[in-house]
Each structure stands twice: as C-alpha cells, then as structure tokens.
Amino acid sequence: MKIQHTSREVWRVGYPPDPWQWADWKWAAPEGRFQGRWDALDGGLYRTLYVGGSLFACLVELLAPLRPGPVLAERLGEITVEPEDAAQAPTEEPGVIDVDDWTARRRAGSAHLTGRFCVVTAFETIAALRPRFAGIATGGLGLADFDAAALTDGRPRLLTQAVSPHLWEMRQKDGAVRCDGVEFLSRHGDDLPLWAVFERPGDGEISPHLTDTAEHALTRDTPDLVRAFELHGLRMRPRP
C-alpha cells in the first residue's frame, strides 16, 4: 500500500465562521453519517475534511453539480414561452447561478497540510485492498472490478465509504496511526489533487494536520471562480 508524507499548501471552500472546522454532526444524514466520497460508512465514527491542491480544484469540485444538463437545456430550448407568462413567472436558464449569493454563504481558505496519506489509486494500494473489497465492488455494486476506475467513479460511494474506515483503522506495528487520510484525484482532471483528512479522537475544532490557516476573499471577480465557471459552462447572473 502506498502511504506517503505530505507537506504542502492546500485550499478549501467552506462555511463561516471558519471554513477549516469539521462539519457539525447536526448536518449528517438521518442515519448519522456524512455522504462524502471518503466519509465513514459507519455513522458517527469520524468526520473527514476535504481539501484541494488549489482554490481552482476546490471550485471545480463544488460547482460541478450545478452544470447544466445537455438534455434538459435542449428540451427547455424547445419550449415556447408567451411574453406574459415570462413576465409573471420568469424561469431561470440552466447553468445561470446567483454567484453573489453563492459566494456570500461561503469562505475560501488556505492552510499548510502535513501528514501521511494513502494514495488510494496507486497500484500498490489497489493490489493491497482488492482481496478485501473486490466482492463488494463486483457483487454488491455490480462494478467490473475493484480498480482505479471504481475508486474514482462518483456513483458507487458505498465502495469508497467502506474503504475509508479500513484505512482509518490501520495501525503500524508499534500501534501508531498508519495514515491520516486519503490522497486522490478529482474526477474532473488528474491534475487536480485532493485530500480527505481523517478526524481522530482528541482532535479540536480544526485538524492538527492543518496549520497556518487563513481566509481569502471569494467574489464573482475571483480569477479561479471565473475560470471554474467557464470550465463548467456556467454563467453568473447579472447584478440587478
């Protein structure tokens, strides 16, 4: 299994008052667990904090679900709307985002990340995990195999959520924690590295693996935000 030491700047887009704090447990699903790719399948075990190698990587991940679907956009384009109806009940075009509201409810931040992270799609890691998880992948989830494609596929999160606690529980021979989280690549590009940082018992409001935390302005004019909008084919709603 490939576990390597990381020491570098990372970014995050979160919520006030501090984007670097763990998500409050009150936001977990009714079964007591979060729904992120590397969150624990067993609710209440620990939380994860997702960070990116750049602000752009974070924004690409967050904005991807807002992309206009090509089929929906085409069908809406075929609908003829009477001027009176458009005036009384205007319909927002697909992919048009109220970016001022979106940024007002979020905070961007940078920090220094250190720790030992499992490079989950490395060949050594896949080979080590495959005997344990191949049955879940091919049987329970109907995937072709337990491989890098399965681990980067955004749909079968039950697979990565099952792998996550296995990595969280691993210990070295002396009993020390073996890895502090997962290093993985964005589904939107192999040049967008991401990390999931595991919470451990005794951690404070911010992971001890994150230091030199800082907040940065996030507005409609932020270059990385403009670039992410262009990448996903999104448009900013004009100011009134």
Side-chain angles (χ1 to χ4, degrees):
M1 188 172 300
K2 184 175 182 179
I3 297 177
Q4 66 183 20
H5 185 268
T6 295
S7 178
R8 59 165 294 163
E9 182 185 63
V10 293
W11 288 76
R12 174 171 169 78
V13 175
Y15 295 96
D18 190 337
W20 293 105
Q21 291 182 348
W22 305 105
D24 195 300
W25 281 109
K26 70 180 181 181
W27 302 115
E31 61 270 25
R33 66 185 182 89
F34 292 97
Q35 304 299 314
R37 188 183 306 182
W38 299 103
D39 282 296
L41 191 58
D42 299 324
L45 187 58
Y46 57 90
R47 292 170 288 187
T48 57
L49 193 80
Y50 294 91
V51 303
S54 64
L55 176 58
F56 178 68
C58 299
L59 292 168
V60 168
E61 287 287 309
L62 288 174
L63 292 170
L66 304 180
R67 291 174 295 183
V71 175
L72 175 61
E74 181 179 353
R75 290 180 177 177
L76 288 175
E78 296 172 351
I79 298 175
T80 301
V81 180
E82 296 296 332
E84 295 82 357
D85 293 335
Q88 294 179 8
T91 301
E92 193 71 88
E93 295 181 47
V96 176
I97 309 300
D98 185 345
V99 69
D100 296 310
D101 176 70
W102 194 90
T103 55
R105 292 183 287 110
R106 291 169 173 82
R107 298 287 186 273
S110 62
H112 191 83
L113 174 68
T114 56
R116 292 167 53 83
F117 291 85
C118 177
V119 185
V120 74
T121 53
F123 70 88
E124 306 101 305
T125 304
I126 293 173
L129 295 176
R130 190 174 183 278
R132 179 183 290 265
F133 295 103
I136 298 176
T138 60
L141 298 175
L143 300 170
D145 199 354
F146 181 86
D147 53 16
L151 291 170
T152 54
D153 191 326
R155 294 167 298 172
R157 292 199 170 183
L158 291 178
L159 177 62
T160 52
Q161 289 172 351
V163 171
S164 178
H166 174 71
L167 299 176
W168 185 82
E169 292 169 355
M170 289 192 313
R171 295 292 187 272
Q172 301 182 86
K173 291 182 179 180
D174 62 0
V177 170
R178 191 171 178 189
C179 73
D180 303 307
V182 180
E183 178 180 334
F184 60 107
L185 300 177
S186 169
R187 294 184 297 109
H188 307 289
D190 288 348
D191 50 353
L192 300 176
L194 306 168
W195 288 263
V197 184
F198 292 152
E199 180 187 27
R200 298 287 180 183
D203 282 358
E205 289 297 317
I206 299 175
S207 170
H209 297 287
L210 293 162
T211 57
D212 301 326
T213 60
E215 290 192 32
H216 303 269
L218 185 63
T219 70
R220 65 163 54 227
D221 299 317
T222 300
D224 283 326
L225 182 62
V226 173
R227 185 180 170 204
F229 261 68
E230 293 174 349
L231 176 74
H232 287 318
L234 299 169
R235 288 183 292 153
M236 298 182 185
R237 181 188 296 172
R239 288 193 175 112

Coordinates of all heavy atoms in Angstrom, one line a residue, residues 120-159:
V120 N -4.7 6.4 -2.9 CA -5.6 5.3 -3.0 C -5.7 4.7 -4.4 O -6.0 3.5 -4.5 CB -7.0 5.8 -2.5 CG1 -7.7 6.7 -3.6 CG2 -7.9 4.6 -2.2
T121 N -5.3 5.4 -5.4 CA -5.4 4.8 -6.7 C -4.0 4.4 -7.2 O -3.8 4.0 -8.4 CB -6.0 5.8 -7.8 OG1 -5.3 7.0 -7.7 CG2 -7.4 6.0 -7.5
A122 N -3.0 4.4 -6.3 CA -1.7 3.8 -6.7 C -1.8 2.3 -6.9 O -2.6 1.7 -6.2 CB -0.6 4.2 -5.7
F123 N -1.0 1.7 -7.7 CA -1.1 0.3 -8.0 C -0.9 -0.5 -6.7 O -1.5 -1.6 -6.5 CB -0.2 -0.2 -9.1 CG 1.3 -0.2 -8.8 CD1 1.9 -1.3 -8.3 CD2 2.1 1.0 -9.1 CE1 3.2 -1.3 -8.0 CE2 3.4 1.0 -8.8 CZ 4.0 -0.1 -8.2
E124 N 0.1 -0.1 -5.9 CA 0.3 -0.8 -4.6 C -0.9 -0.8 -3.7 O -1.2 -1.9 -3.1 CB 1.5 -0.2 -3.9 CG 2.8 0.0 -4.7 CD 3.0 1.4 -5.1 OE1 2.0 1.9 -5.7 OE2 4.0 2.0 -4.8
T125 N -1.6 0.3 -3.7 CA -2.8 0.4 -2.8 C -3.9 -0.5 -3.3 O -4.6 -1.2 -2.6 CB -3.3 1.8 -2.7 OG1 -2.2 2.6 -2.2 CG2 -4.4 1.9 -1.8
I126 N -4.2 -0.4 -4.6 CA -5.2 -1.2 -5.2 C -5.0 -2.7 -5.0 O -5.9 -3.5 -4.7 CB -5.4 -0.9 -6.7 CG1 -5.9 0.6 -6.9 CG2 -6.3 -1.9 -7.4 CD1 -5.9 1.1 -8.3
A127 N -3.7 -3.1 -5.2 CA -3.4 -4.5 -5.1 C -3.6 -5.0 -3.6 O -4.1 -6.1 -3.4 CB -1.9 -4.8 -5.5
A128 N -3.3 -4.1 -2.7 CA -3.4 -4.4 -1.2 C -4.9 -4.5 -0.8 O -5.3 -5.3 0.0 CB -2.7 -3.5 -0.4
L129 N -5.7 -3.6 -1.4 CA -7.1 -3.5 -1.0 C -8.0 -4.5 -1.7 O -9.1 -4.9 -1.2 CB -7.6 -2.1 -1.2 CG -7.0 -1.0 -0.3 CD1 -7.5 0.3 -0.7 CD2 -7.3 -1.3 1.2
R130 N -7.6 -4.9 -2.9 CA -8.5 -5.7 -3.8 C -9.0 -7.0 -3.1 O -10.2 -7.3 -3.3 CB -7.8 -6.0 -5.1 CG -8.8 -6.6 -6.1 CD -8.1 -6.8 -7.5 NE -9.0 -7.2 -8.5 CZ -9.4 -8.5 -8.6 NH1 -8.8 -9.4 -7.8 NH2 -10.3 -8.9 -9.5
P131 N -8.2 -7.8 -2.5 CA -8.8 -9.0 -1.9 C -9.9 -8.8 -0.9 O -10.8 -9.6 -0.8 CB -7.5 -9.6 -1.1 CG -6.4 -9.1 -1.9 CD -6.8 -7.7 -2.3
R132 N -9.9 -7.7 -0.2 CA -10.9 -7.4 0.8 C -12.2 -6.8 0.2 O -13.3 -7.0 0.6 CB -10.3 -6.4 1.9 CG -11.3 -6.0 2.9 CD -10.7 -5.0 3.9 NE -9.7 -5.6 4.7 CZ -9.9 -6.0 5.9 NH1 -11.1 -6.0 6.5 NH2 -8.9 -6.5 6.6
F133 N -12.0 -6.0 -0.9 CA -13.1 -5.2 -1.4 C -13.6 -5.6 -2.8 O -14.6 -5.0 -3.3 CB -12.8 -3.7 -1.4 CG -12.6 -3.2 0.0 CD1 -11.3 -3.0 0.5 CD2 -13.6 -2.9 0.8 CE1 -11.1 -2.5 1.8 CE2 -13.5 -2.4 2.1 CZ -12.2 -2.2 2.6
A134 N -13.0 -6.5 -3.4 CA -13.4 -6.9 -4.8 C -14.8 -7.5 -4.8 O -15.6 -7.2 -5.7 CB -12.4 -7.9 -5.4
G135 N -15.2 -8.2 -3.7 CA -16.5 -8.8 -3.7 C -17.6 -7.7 -3.6 O -18.7 -7.8 -4.2
I136 N -17.3 -6.7 -2.8 CA -18.3 -5.6 -2.7 C -18.4 -4.9 -4.0 O -19.5 -4.5 -4.4 CB -17.8 -4.6 -1.6 CG1 -17.7 -5.3 -0.2 CG2 -18.7 -3.4 -1.6 CD1 -17.2 -4.4 0.9
A137 N -17.3 -4.7 -4.7 CA -17.3 -3.9 -6.0 C -18.1 -4.7 -7.0 O -19.0 -4.1 -7.7 CB -15.9 -3.6 -6.4
T138 N -17.7 -5.9 -7.2 CA -18.3 -6.7 -8.3 C -19.6 -7.4 -8.0 O -20.5 -7.6 -8.9 CB -17.3 -7.8 -8.8 OG1 -17.0 -8.7 -7.7 CG2 -16.0 -7.2 -9.2
G139 N -19.8 -7.7 -6.7 CA -21.0 -8.4 -6.3 C -22.1 -7.4 -5.9 O -23.1 -7.2 -6.6
G140 N -21.9 -6.8 -4.8 CA -22.9 -5.9 -4.2 C -23.2 -4.6 -5.1 O -24.3 -4.2 -5.1
L141 N -22.2 -4.1 -5.8 CA -22.3 -2.9 -6.5 C -22.4 -3.0 -8.0 O -22.6 -2.1 -8.7 CB -21.2 -1.9 -6.1 CG -21.2 -1.5 -4.6 CD1 -20.0 -0.6 -4.3 CD2 -22.5 -0.7 -4.3
G142 N -22.1 -4.2 -8.5 CA -22.2 -4.5 -9.9 C -21.1 -3.8 -10.8 O -21.3 -3.6 -12.0
L143 N -19.9 -3.5 -10.2 CA -18.8 -2.9 -10.9 C -18.0 -4.0 -11.6 O -18.1 -5.2 -11.3 CB -17.9 -2.1 -10.0 CG -18.6 -0.9 -9.3 CD1 -17.7 -0.4 -8.2 CD2 -19.1 0.1 -10.2
A144 N -17.3 -3.6 -12.6 CA -16.5 -4.6 -13.4 C -15.4 -5.2 -12.6 O -15.0 -6.3 -12.7 CB -15.9 -3.9 -14.7
D145 N -14.8 -4.3 -11.7 CA -13.6 -4.8 -10.9 C -13.4 -3.8 -9.8 O -13.9 -2.7 -9.8 CB -12.4 -4.9 -11.8 CG -11.3 -5.8 -11.2 OD1 -11.5 -6.3 -10.0 OD2 -10.3 -6.1 -11.9
F146 N -12.5 -4.2 -8.9 CA -12.0 -3.2 -7.9 C -10.7 -2.7 -8.5 O -9.7 -3.3 -8.4 CB -11.8 -3.9 -6.5 CG -11.3 -2.9 -5.5 CD1 -12.2 -2.2 -4.7 CD2 -9.9 -2.7 -5.3 CE1 -11.7 -1.3 -3.8 CE2 -9.4 -1.8 -4.3 CZ -10.3 -1.1 -3.6
D147 N -10.8 -1.5 -9.0 CA -9.7 -0.9 -9.7 C -9.8 0.7 -9.5 O -10.6 1.2 -8.8 CB -9.6 -1.3 -11.2 CG -10.9 -1.0 -11.9 OD1 -11.8 -0.2 -11.4 OD2 -11.1 -1.6 -13.0
A148 N -8.8 1.3 -10.2 CA -8.8 2.8 -10.1 C -10.1 3.4 -10.7 O -10.6 4.4 -10.1 CB -7.6 3.3 -10.9
A149 N -10.7 2.8 -11.7 CA -11.9 3.3 -12.2 C -13.1 3.3 -11.2 O -13.8 4.2 -11.1 CB -12.3 2.6 -13.5
A150 N -13.1 2.2 -10.5 CA -14.2 2.1 -9.4 C -14.0 3.1 -8.3 O -14.9 3.6 -7.8 CB -14.1 0.6 -8.9
L151 N -12.7 3.4 -8.0 CA -12.4 4.3 -6.9 C -12.6 5.7 -7.2 O -12.8 6.6 -6.4 CB -11.0 4.0 -6.4 CG -10.8 2.7 -5.6 CD1 -9.3 2.5 -5.4 CD2 -11.6 2.7 -4.3
T152 N -12.6 6.0 -8.5 CA -12.8 7.4 -9.0 C -14.2 7.7 -9.5 O -14.5 8.8 -9.8 CB -11.8 7.8 -10.0 OG1 -11.8 6.9 -11.1 CG2 -10.4 7.8 -9.5
D153 N -15.0 6.6 -9.7 CA -16.4 6.8 -10.2 C -17.2 7.5 -9.1 O -17.1 7.1 -7.9 CB -16.9 5.4 -10.5 CG -18.3 5.5 -11.2 OD1 -19.0 6.4 -11.0 OD2 -18.5 4.6 -12.0
G154 N -17.9 8.5 -9.4 CA -18.6 9.3 -8.4 C -19.9 8.6 -8.0 O -20.5 9.0 -7.0
R155 N -20.3 7.5 -8.6 CA -21.6 6.9 -8.3 C -21.6 5.9 -7.1 O -22.3 6.1 -6.1 CB -22.2 6.3 -9.5 CG -22.6 7.3 -10.6 CD -22.9 6.5 -11.9 NE -21.7 5.8 -12.4 CZ -21.7 5.0 -13.4 NH1 -22.9 4.7 -14.0 NH2 -20.6 4.4 -13.8
P156 N -20.7 4.9 -7.1 CA -20.8 3.9 -6.1 C -20.0 4.3 -4.8 O -19.0 3.8 -4.5 CB -20.1 2.7 -6.7 CG -19.1 3.3 -7.6 CD -19.7 4.6 -8.1
R157 N -20.5 5.3 -4.1 CA -19.8 5.8 -2.9 C -19.8 4.8 -1.8 O -19.0 5.0 -0.9 CB -20.5 7.2 -2.5 CG -20.2 8.3 -3.5 CD -20.4 9.6 -2.9 NE -19.9 10.7 -3.8 CZ -19.9 12.0 -3.6 NH1 -20.3 12.4 -2.4 NH2 -19.4 12.8 -4.4
L158 N -20.7 3.9 -1.8 CA -20.7 2.8 -0.8 C -19.3 2.1 -0.8 O -18.9 1.6 0.2 CB -21.8 1.9 -1.0 CG -23.2 2.4 -0.7 CD1 -24.3 1.3 -0.9 CD2 -23.3 2.9 0.8
L159 N -18.7 2.0 -2.0 CA -17.4 1.3 -2.0 C -16.3 2.2 -1.3 O -15.6 1.7 -0.5 CB -17.0 1.1 -3.5 CG -15.7 0.5 -3.7 CD1 -15.6 -0.9 -3.1 CD2 -15.3 0.4 -5.2

